[in-house]
Amino acid sequence: TLGGPIKKSRLFYFLNYEGQRTAENQQQTLTVPTASLRAGNVQYVDANGNTDTLTPAQIANMDPGCTACTFGPGVNPNTLAVFNKYPLPNGQVFGDGLNTASFTWSAPNPTVLNTYIAKIDYNMGAHSLFVRGNLQNDKTSGPPQFPGDPPSYLLTNNSKGIAAGDVWTLGTHLINSFHYGYIRQGVGTIGAGNGPYVDFVGLSPLNAENRTTIRDVPVHNFTDDLTWVKHDHTLQFGVNYRMIHNLSQSNAISYSSADGNFSYISLSGIANTGQNFDPGAFGYPKVAASFANSYNNAIIADVGLVSDINTASNYAVSADGKSGNLLPQGAMIDRNYKSNEFEYYLQDSWRIRPNLTITFGIRHSFLQTPYEVNGQQVQPTTDWQNWFEERGQFATLGQSVQPLISFGPSGQSRGLKPYWPMQKNNIAPRFAIAYSPSGSNGFTHALFGSKNSSSIRAGFGMYYDHFGQGIVNSFSQLGSFSLSTTSTSAFPTVGSIARYSGINDIPASPAPPPAASISYPNQPSGNAQTVGFQNVLGVDDHLKTPYAYDFNSSIDRQLRGGFTLEVAYVGRLGRRLLQQY
């Protein structure tokens, strides 16, 4: 820290730096294949409690009529090659103890933190000016997946801000305070994951699959407060304006993926189902029910069944809003949300008597609904709240009524409907009272001490939340059908399931590929409605600003011997709080 006067009693400077270096490790415990599984064997506990081993030859015999055996029936040489890249297990914390076990190691997880602050103060008599700048430069390296791997991610924070202010004394009774602030929150997670991945349930991924997300939130903030002392009144007036941008770049949902998951296989598994690879169906001891899931995971990984394909499709809405064009796999998805917020307040602190002061005022808030500046915003074309409520009403009658939902471009940048309407009547009153009794009777005076040693305070306020940024972030990434969509498809039978060919090789999906372009309004296909399943998120298009009532009261009394007794009550009543259904 360094600071002092540049010009005596007028101009001052202040500099500050803080740094921290943390050389720290983090314990990593992952699930890896055992030596038996690496050799292509699958072990299991049978219905009699014995441990049985299926050899590669036996497993091949349990794979008749396979139509997807590109690499031959039974054990998949590609999965064995991947198994042998894992370290050998050194514990039994995870895994089934026969085919999989745990590997624990101490992974480096270092952190570098830097903070820089600089400030200038200038006293010009009637004006008192300042300028302050802050800068963060923080980096955290995520623990590698396995020894010798690069960091799984790099977490960065280069947030910065500058603030300037002018306190202007216009007279003995009038003061104006103006402030401007530019704060840019800048955080990023640079993931080691690159490309699509094929994983197997029951095994930790061989490579770190963390994705990259970069977020910048620049905020311009102007405030002005005027204080006027007139006789027994202290009047205050103020305005507050914020312009918020919420910019993000991410490939978190830009890649398709696949896995070997027994839940997507016909009959939801293999053990004791009579299908291919079920030991009991081929003359071998039946798998114990308690070991069925572990057997399913092991045999699926061993033969490389890729049971389900998760196809990611992201579209960019055209300038005219009539169509959307498919973005390439792995493309960084850019979003730039913007909103404006304006508030003003009026307040009077009225000293009615020397021992009685009443403060009252109001604050009026205008919170614009965030919108995507470049028109990359869609939402249901129907009244989403009515759709939800009508569905609930029919459900109470035992009827399933789910009208099809269409999505189309929206948002103020296109002159269209916002996610939810902006409320213009967010008026919040405030009231407070402070009272000091002028005297006390002889008993309280003898017990508590001198007169005028008590005070009573009470207050009430209504406060509106500042909300919306998190909602649009989640909906944009997870719920905007036709803008960012992930569809899951599975193969009908064990024999037709695609076989594993490499960590980054997604097999061809049994479902049609995403269209190169779509038209708006866009509706999920009838096939997806009747055969598959959907999970679509929606934002209530009748959403109103959450608010709360705050109450407080206190009584304090000076006691003899320098003690003070205070009894207080603080309460808060939330209204229209955000919930998910």
Side-chain angles (χ1 to χ4, degrees), residues 155-235:
L155 181 64
T156 63
N157 184 341
N158 62 352
S159 300
K160 62 183 179 181
I162 186 169
D166 175 22
V167 178
W168 182 14
T169 304
L170 289 85
T172 56
H173 301 288
L174 192 62
I175 297 176
N176 187 79
S177 178
F178 172 81
H179 288 84
Y180 164 74
Y182 170 78
I183 308 296
R184 192 218 63 185
Q185 182 185 23
V187 294
T189 301
I190 313 302
N194 185 24
Y197 288 101
V198 182
D199 296 317
F200 292 101
V201 175
L203 282 174
S204 297
L206 179 63
N207 300 323
E209 300 178 4
N210 305 70
R211 302 301 186 183
T212 295
T213 298
I214 301 170
R215 186 173 301 282
D216 290 320
V217 185
V219 179
H220 294 272
N221 190 194
F222 298 86
T223 67
D224 192 79
D225 300 277
L226 180 67
T227 302
W228 182 23
V229 179
K230 184 174 178 60
H231 302 304
D232 296 328
H233 294 268
T234 300
L235 303 168

Side-chain angles (χ1 to χ4, degrees), residues 168-392:
W168 182 14
T169 304
L170 289 85
T172 56
H173 301 288
L174 192 62
I175 297 176
N176 187 79
S177 178
F178 172 81
H179 288 84
Y180 164 74
Y182 170 78
I183 308 296
R184 192 218 63 185
Q185 182 185 23
V187 294
T189 301
I190 313 302
N194 185 24
Y197 288 101
V198 182
D199 296 317
F200 292 101
V201 175
L203 282 174
S204 297
L206 179 63
N207 300 323
E209 300 178 4
N210 305 70
R211 302 301 186 183
T212 295
T213 298
I214 301 170
R215 186 173 301 282
D216 290 320
V217 185
V219 179
H220 294 272
N221 190 194
F222 298 86
T223 67
D224 192 79
D225 300 277
L226 180 67
T227 302
W228 182 23
V229 179
K230 184 174 178 60
H231 302 304
D232 296 328
H233 294 268
T234 300
L235 303 168
Q236 289 181 289
F237 314 90
V239 295
N240 191 332
Y241 167 71
R242 285 175 295 273
M243 181 174 67
I244 305 170
H245 278 271
N246 186 344
L247 299 87
S248 67
Q249 292 180 300
S250 178
N251 63 2
I253 53 172
S254 297
Y255 290 102
S256 297
S257 64
D259 55 51
N261 189 329
F262 65 82
S263 298
Y264 287 93
I265 292 178
S266 176
L267 304 179
S268 297
I270 292 177
N272 306 320
T273 63
Q275 303 181 87
N276 284 18
F277 303 117
D278 175 15
F282 292 88
Y284 304 111
K286 295 181 62 176
V287 179
S290 60
F291 199 82
N293 289 350
S294 296
Y295 174 81
N296 291 337
N297 290 337
I299 194 68
I300 287 173
D302 197 39
V303 301
L305 298 182
V306 184
S307 58
D308 55 290
I309 314 296
N310 307 300
T311 304
S313 53
N314 293 282
Y315 289 85
V317 184
S318 62
D320 60 9
K322 296 181 180 180
S323 63
N325 298 313
L326 183 67
L327 297 175
Q329 284 277 303
M332 294 295 285
I333 308 302
D334 296 330
R335 296 288 183 266
N336 180 358
Y337 284 100
K338 179 183 178 181
S339 62
N340 293 278
E341 299 181 354
F342 177 77
E343 298 178 290
Y344 69 88
Y345 74 91
L346 304 93
Q347 178 177 297
D348 181 16
S349 185
W350 181 17
R351 191 176 184 184
I352 301 176
R353 298 173 56 186
N355 64 338
L356 177 62
T357 301
I358 295 178
T359 303
F360 51 90
I362 62 165
R363 176 177 289 267
H364 191 183
S365 302
F366 299 88
L367 309 178
Q368 184 184 33
T369 306
Y371 65 95
E372 215 288 325
V373 171
N374 300 310
Q376 301 305 306
Q377 174 179 332
V378 299
Q379 67 187 96
T381 57
T382 57
D383 189 305
W384 194 232
Q385 187 189 68
N386 290 345
W387 185 96
F388 182 80
E389 291 180 347
E390 289 178 4
R391 185 183 180 195

Side-chain angles (χ1 to χ4, degrees), residues 79-99:
T79 57
L80 294 187
V82 172
F83 290 165
N84 283 281
K85 293 180 180 179
Y86 283 87
L88 286 167
N90 57 14
Q92 297 289 335
V93 178
F94 298 144
D96 62 25
L98 299 176
N99 305 290

Side-chain angles (χ1 to χ4, degrees), residues 521-544:
N522 189 263
Q523 189 177 84
S525 66
N527 181 62
Q529 292 276 349
T530 58
V531 179
F533 64 90
Q534 288 179 262
N535 185 9
V536 178
L537 300 181
V539 178
D540 181 2
D541 54 355
H542 292 220
L543 198 64
K544 295 183 179 180

Side-chain angles (χ1 to χ4, degrees), residues 3-25:
I6 299 174
K7 186 176 181 180
K8 187 176 180 180
S9 302
R10 289 284 187 179
L11 185 62
F12 304 87
Y13 76 97
F14 174 80
L15 302 172
N16 181 77
Y17 166 77
E18 296 181 28
Q20 176 177 315
R21 306 293 183 268
T22 306
E24 188 174 56
N25 280 28

